Amino acid sequence: MKKFTMFIQEHMSFMVFQLFLVLFIMFLYWLDGFRNFNTAVYSISMSMLLTAGYLVGKFIMRRSIYATITQKPEKMEDALIRHGQSPEHRQMMAFTRELYKIYQNEVQTLYASQHRQLQFMNQWVHQMKTPISVIGLLLQEKGELDRDSLTEEIEKIRRGLDTVLVNARLETFEQDMQIERVGLKMLVQEIVNEHKRLFITNGVFPVISIDDNYTVATDMKWMKFVIGQFITNAVKYTFERGKKVHIDAARTAEGLQLTVRDEGVGIPSSDLKRITKPFFTGENGRLTGESTGMGLYIASEVCQRLGHRLAIDSELGAGTTVTVLFENGEAGERDDTEDDRRTDGSDEDL
């Protein structure tokens, strides 16, 4: 009954128009001198009968559609009407299917984002238990407090908090982004100084070789995290003391290329293609037990959104090289003696 009522309501204007049209034609015939009452009644009756037949046929063709939309939906797939006879209905069904695909993609993206955030937070909270436990043990020891060890554990917590905050802001990256011209050497030196204690603790030394005139258009805050992540990984996976982390920049045909190269354990070839996937720690991550598998993933996402090309190359036992290409980088007039100034000046600061 509901289907029929809906059909009548939809076509009420059409039926009124048909009746008005027949009466108007009869009125014209009457003005022209036509006065046969029986013929007029017959014409009106046949018109109404043909209209009723047309409407009945149309109702039969659209019963499946009315049956679908008058039932209470139980799942989102119920919105997909699979039967339609008229071109309008077929086009509407195609439109609904495309709209449903967009909805599914958005839901899956949101679900993946929430799942990634939850998994990351669970891993991070679990890993933060270690430095907190160490700090608790240090505070319980009698005698003079080991401030260096305490500072090291606090640095671990700070770096973990930075990663959590960056991962959270990644969802609103466009609103948080601010592109500006940045001196590349100044940026790298600032990052190295922030990680000074990490270098000292692990006995690894940075070697910076970047022209003072090199500038790039980027977001300074985001790139500080990205380059800091590369430096942290380089130091963390360099287990021998006395090794160096080389940070270089050079002009290429495509722009300025920043390279962070360590002398650490390297990455197995089987892991190399997956190291930028979220939560992938690989064999090296299991060596330290401190990896969340999110650092390189976030760095890769940031570089992609900023338009900087990221490449990672490694040889097991020989170290890892991370390269970031700034296609909008610029270089001023370079001093001829700059090539001779490839010193590990940051070693002196350490």
Side-chain angles (χ1 to χ4, degrees), residues 117 162 164-173 176 221-222:
Q117 290 279 10
D162 288 342
V164 171
L165 292 174
V166 169
N167 184 59
R169 289 200 300 265
L170 198 61
E171 301 298 328
T172 56
F173 182 86
D176 195 51
K221 180 176 63 177
W222 283 103

Side-chain angles (χ1 to χ4, degrees), residues 275-300:
I275 56 177
T276 57
K277 302 295 183 182
F279 305 111
F280 180 77
T281 56
E283 295 183 17
N284 289 346
R286 289 186 285 272
L287 293 176
T288 61
E290 298 180 358
S291 176
T292 61
M294 290 295 289
L296 286 180
Y297 162 74
I298 297 175
S300 175

Side-chain angles (χ1 to χ4, degrees), residues 141-158:
E141 290 182 356
K142 296 181 180 180
E144 187 177 354
L145 182 65
D146 188 349
R147 295 184 178 275
D148 291 338
S149 299
L150 182 63
T151 303
E152 181 181 350
E153 299 305 321
I154 293 176
E155 280 296 309
K156 290 181 181 179
I157 297 176
R158 184 189 63 80

Side-chain angles (χ1 to χ4, degrees), residues 119-231:
Q119 186 177 354
F120 174 59
M121 287 302 298
N122 289 337
Q123 288 190 2
W124 181 81
V125 171
H126 179 73
Q127 290 187 352
M128 287 301 102
K129 291 180 180 179
T130 302
I132 291 175
S133 299
V134 173
I135 291 174
L137 293 174
L138 290 173
L139 294 175
Q140 292 175 8
E141 290 182 356
K142 296 181 180 180
E144 187 177 354
L145 182 65
D146 188 349
R147 295 184 178 275
D148 291 338
S149 299
L150 182 63
T151 303
E152 181 181 350
E153 299 305 321
I154 293 176
E155 280 296 309
K156 290 181 181 179
I157 297 176
R158 184 189 63 80
R159 289 196 296 269
L161 285 172
D162 288 342
T163 304
V164 171
L165 292 174
V166 169
N167 184 59
R169 289 200 300 265
L170 198 61
E171 301 298 328
T172 56
F173 182 86
E174 287 73 16
Q175 289 82 3
D176 195 51
M177 181 177 62
Q178 182 178 355
I179 302 298
E180 56 184 332
R181 282 286 170 187
V182 179
L184 191 56
K185 186 173 184 178
M186 177 272 297
L187 175 62
V188 170
Q189 286 178 332
E190 184 175 339
I191 298 170
V192 168
N193 287 332
E194 290 179 357
H195 292 77
K196 182 184 299 185
R197 184 166 295 277
L198 180 66
F199 282 105
I200 295 174
T201 302
N202 290 271
V204 179
F205 302 97
V207 179
I208 302 175
S209 180
I210 302 176
D211 192 302
D212 292 330
N213 298 318
Y214 285 173
T215 61
V216 294
T218 188
D219 185 292
M220 185 173 181
K221 180 176 63 177
W222 283 103
M223 283 310 299
K224 284 181 68 175
F225 173 83
V226 171
I227 300 174
Q229 184 63 46
F230 298 154
I231 292 175

